[in-house]
Amino acid sequence: MRPGPGGGTDTDRPPTGARSPGGEPALRELDALVDRMDRATGWAEFHGCDEGFHLAAADATGVPAAVAPYAAVVRDPYRYYLPYPMAALRASNEEHRALVRALRQGDAAAAAEVARHRVQSPHRTMFIGLAPAEDPPATT
């Protein structure tokens, strides 16, 4: 064990809030938004909290230059959304919870896997029936 600050060992220290610049305060904000989504009584309320969750997650990265482009990416698809049944939204909120848990544990691989699934899922459910993109012509 390496000595940590103040003479303790690395294992004596609590997790660092996902080892991210936002730390525990940012994770508590994400927890609060997940809890609000759990209590939402309708799609519009859930949607507002969902958007807030994604923007707070971007802000918690500590990469200010990424927040505005990410906000545009988050908001743009909402114009295509039809209200999902609340049961489906509540199930999707479990992924929010899993993301916060992975961030709190400092598990970047688990957080990335949750995020990957969160991006792929809407592509399967929102864009079903759309023609697949054509393969680019082969170059010789």
Side-chain angles (χ1 to χ4, degrees):
M1 298 269 151
R2 293 186 322 224
T9 65
D10 284 341
T11 57
D12 294 334
R13 287 185 276 164
T16 59
R19 297 168 185 88
S20 71
E24 189 59 32
L27 295 173
R28 282 193 300 270
E29 180 181 2
L30 294 172
D31 283 332
L33 287 162
V34 169
D35 291 344
R36 284 179 57 201
M37 283 182 270
D38 277 343
R39 293 188 310 270
T41 58
W43 181 84
E45 182 182 2
F46 186 96
H47 163 76
C49 295
D50 183 62
E51 182 177 340
F53 177 90
H54 288 276
L55 298 179
D59 193 47
T61 66
V63 183
V67 175
Y70 181 72
V73 168
V74 165
R75 289 180 177 131
D76 188 55
Y78 281 131
R79 63 191 165 135
Y80 300 107
Y81 282 2
L82 294 175
Y84 280 86
M86 287 305 293
L89 295 175
R90 295 210 193 291
S92 77
N93 201 31
E94 289 306 312
E95 291 178 326
H96 293 138
R97 188 172 274 99
L99 178 62
V100 176
R101 184 173 41 254
L103 292 172
R104 184 167 275 116
Q105 294 170 349
D107 189 342
E113 179 59 23
V114 171
R116 182 194 62 76
H117 184 264
R118 290 287 299 153
V119 169
Q120 288 180 339
S121 181
H123 284 275
R124 287 190 308 272
T125 60
M126 287 175 42
F127 302 120
I128 198 161
L130 296 178
E134 293 183 24
D135 290 333
T139 56
T140 56

